[in-house]
Amino acid sequence: GENVEQHPSTLSVQEGDSAVIKCTYSDSASNYFPWYKQELGKRPQLIIDIRSNVGEKKDQRIAVTLNKTAKHFSLHITETQPEDSAVYFCAARANAGGTSYGKLTFGQGTILTVHP
Amino acid sequence: KAGVTQTPRYLIKTRGQQVTLSCSPISGHRSVSWYQQTPGQGLQFLFEYFSETQRNKGNFPGRFSGRQFSNSRSEMNVSTLELGDSALYLCASSLVGGGDEQYFGPGTRLTVT
């Protein structure tokens, strides 16, 4: 089955710096890669996603890049702010159908701390 | 639109008991997926329902089961609770579950003593 590795497990940056979180996946059939932000005691919140027919996607200070050949994708946050502090999870899902319906395979999470 | 809701938010149960958790998806969403979140194992997929049918199941024992009703609301049940079942149980809804986004509910925090 799919396996997703996420690095680093913790990341500490100063306000205004950039933060990068990287994930690798094992199943070449995976074609959907969302990123979730989870603040303490709250639900995971979808912040950005990318599909395998796209190499990069941006939404204001957040961007995601995908390298299908290397099977890795990354989250980039620019001009970080203290409110960006949270746990970030990457995930991967294979094509719809078969054993893939609804199944997101998650990385272990990255604790991001942005110091004022 | 109202978001995904889950009830109850907190539960304390004793080993050997059973528990039922409920999830109401976003209006119009027909797919509901369930996940278990623990500090050690992270977020793990339990199962997914669409049109009252289980379409996919993760690697959990048969003590974990679920169902979906005609209004897309879903329940999951855990029988013969074990200490290791203590976790945050999250459900996520999506339109049809095939290639679209999943939105999570707030979760049910289950503690087994």
Side-chain angles (χ1 to χ4, degrees), chain B residues 30-89:
Chain B
R30 296 169 62 193
S31 168
V32 174
S33 298
W34 289 88
Y35 295 85
Q36 181 195 65
Q37 185 175 27
T38 60
Q41 298 298 317
L43 278 152
Q44 293 188 292
F45 174 78
L46 282 156
F47 29 64
E48 187 256 3
Y49 286 87
F50 177 81
S51 291
E52 304 177 62
T53 301
Q54 184 184 90
R55 292 196 298 190
N56 199 358
K57 190 177 190 304
N59 298 322
F60 280 82
R63 300 185 296 108
F64 292 82
S65 63
R67 59 177 175 168
Q68 186 180 35
F69 301 93
S70 59
N71 61 358
S72 296
R73 189 177 70 85
S74 178
E75 290 181 345
M76 69 163 281
N77 183 276
V78 188
S79 62
T80 318
L81 284 166
E82 301 177 0
L83 294 178
D85 296 333
S86 294
L88 180 67
Y89 290 89

Side-chain angles (χ1 to χ4, degrees), chain A residues 92-115:
Chain A
R93 187 180 64 211
N95 291 322
T99 59
S100 302
Y101 280 115
K103 180 179 181 179
L104 289 174
T105 300
F106 285 87
Q108 286 298 308
T110 296
I111 302 171
L112 173 64
T113 303
V114 181
H115 300 280

